[in-house]
Amino acid sequence: MAANRATHIALTALAPISWGTTYAVTTEFLPPDRPLFTGLVRALPAGLLLLAISRTLPRGVWWGKAAVLGALNIGAFFPLLFLSAYRLPGGMAAVVGSVGPLFVAGLATVLLGERPTVRTLLTGIAAALGVSLVVLKAAGSLDTVGLLAALASTASMSTGTVLTKRWGRPEGVGPLALTGWQLTAGGLLIAPIALLVEGPPPALDGRAIGGYLYLALANTAVSYWLWFRGIGRLAATQVTFLGPLSPLTAAVVGWAALGQALTPVQLLGMAVAFGATVLGQLRPGTGPKAVSAAKGNRRSAPTTPEVPAGSRP
């Protein structure tokens, strides 16, 4: 079972790792100053593709639930994230986003009954500290609108993550269909905003088309499917602690592909954030002391006859 759990964690981690390449692809391949159009192209074609593959539409209350999840995880998250990135000094949006595990820990307490441990809270603080060391540039004046947008985007994605875990999926519906519902709903929400704010779509050359295809397919359709699949198999806090892998990947890609230097402070921050990510995957009650206590409890517990599987409630 531990091997299956490790596989679920590894597959889910591919999502934020893929999202960490978004900045490099956007700056090197896509037309500038079109964040909403980029969000729209990421979400809507990917959602429609997954709907075509799954051939499953929501039923009953799931029309409303899919719309809510699509708005939180995609439709509101994308525009708010881009707005914060454009208005805040370098890396600040990522730092605000790195407090997502603490948001999720609080929401999971209320909506899922997952009580946060001291380890979870300290790990969340360490993750935010590590990310700040990696991405935070020289301090500048903070834009109030940008800061509020960053907080709102983090709260939106965190709430969407917890509600996705709480509501689960309708019987007989897989994560592929659920992902398609959310991406389509989110894309439809972004479409009128993009048209009003940015106007008609820009002219695209072959380089831009290739970049948008990557973002829509690998970076969104596959990555969000893996993300929502992971939410269904792991604790909400475990999933959100994989989020810091995104800015860490962005820093590595910037160093490897764009020639950006990494300072000793950034390397220290990467080690801290990665360590927090790994620690965040440990379930409550794991570790040497917990294992020893569990073994002691088993030795001291009275033996009871095995109950046939068919008679268990």
Side-chain angles (χ1 to χ4, degrees):
M1 307 317 157
N4 288 339
R5 182 168 166 273
T7 299
H8 295 324
I9 292 173
L11 288 175
T12 308
L14 292 177
I17 290 174
S18 174
W19 298 335
T21 66
T22 303
Y23 174 79
V25 172
T26 300
T27 56
E28 298 299 311
F29 291 89
L30 305 184
D33 301 326
R34 302 306 294 262
L36 292 174
F37 177 75
T38 297
L40 172 62
V41 173
R42 284 184 66 187
L44 191 55
L48 294 175
L49 174 64
L50 295 185
L51 285 181
I53 294 173
S54 65
R55 296 193 294 181
T56 304
L57 293 176
R59 294 183 179 180
V61 297
W62 270 97
W63 282 103
K65 289 183 177 181
V68 170
L69 295 178
L72 290 170
N73 289 320
I74 309 295
F77 174 68
F78 279 3
L80 289 168
L81 180 66
F82 284 126
L83 177 62
S84 64
Y86 270 80
R87 298 185 68 109
L88 292 178
M92 179 59 72
V95 173
V96 177
S98 67
V99 303
L102 299 177
F103 272 74
V104 169
L107 290 169
T109 301
V110 177
L111 298 177
L112 303 177
E114 295 180 5
R115 296 184 61 184
T117 63
V118 173
R119 186 185 72 192
T120 297
L121 298 177
L122 293 178
T123 303
I125 294 172
L129 174 63
V131 170
S132 68
L133 293 177
V134 174
V135 302
L136 199 58
K137 303 292 191 284
S141 59
L142 291 182
D143 180 270
T144 302
V145 173
L147 185 59
L148 291 176
L151 289 170
S153 68
T154 302
S156 179
M157 186 67 166
S158 299
T159 305
T161 297
V162 174
L163 285 180
T164 301
K165 182 68 177 180
R166 177 179 174 84
W167 288 342
R169 301 190 304 270
E171 185 177 354
V173 173
L176 194 70
L178 181 64
T179 305
W181 298 349
Q182 296 189 52
L183 288 173
T184 302
L188 291 174
L189 181 61
I190 295 173
I193 302 174
L195 183 61
L196 288 173
V197 174
E198 297 179 351
L204 303 178
D205 57 15
R207 189 177 180 85
I209 292 173
Y212 280 126
L213 284 175
Y214 168 77
L215 290 182
L217 297 177
N219 190 264
T220 302
V222 175
S223 295
Y224 272 94
W225 168 65
L226 290 172
W227 185 254
F228 294 132
R229 176 187 178 276
I231 291 175
R233 290 166 168 78
L234 302 169
T237 49
Q238 285 181 283
V239 175
T240 195
F241 266 116
L242 296 172
L245 291 176
S246 180
L248 296 187
T249 301
V252 171
V253 171
W255 167 75
L258 304 180
Q260 298 172 353
L262 289 174
T263 67
V265 172
Q266 286 178 302
L267 293 175
L268 173 62
M270 292 173 71
V272 171
F274 185 75
T277 297
V278 173
L279 189 60
Q281 303 314 304
L282 300 179
R283 290 174 295 187
T286 59
K289 291 183 179 180
V291 171
S292 299
K295 289 181 179 179
N297 289 338
R298 285 197 297 269
R299 284 196 296 267
S300 61
T303 57
T304 56
E306 179 66 22
V307 180
S311 63
R312 291 192 178 104

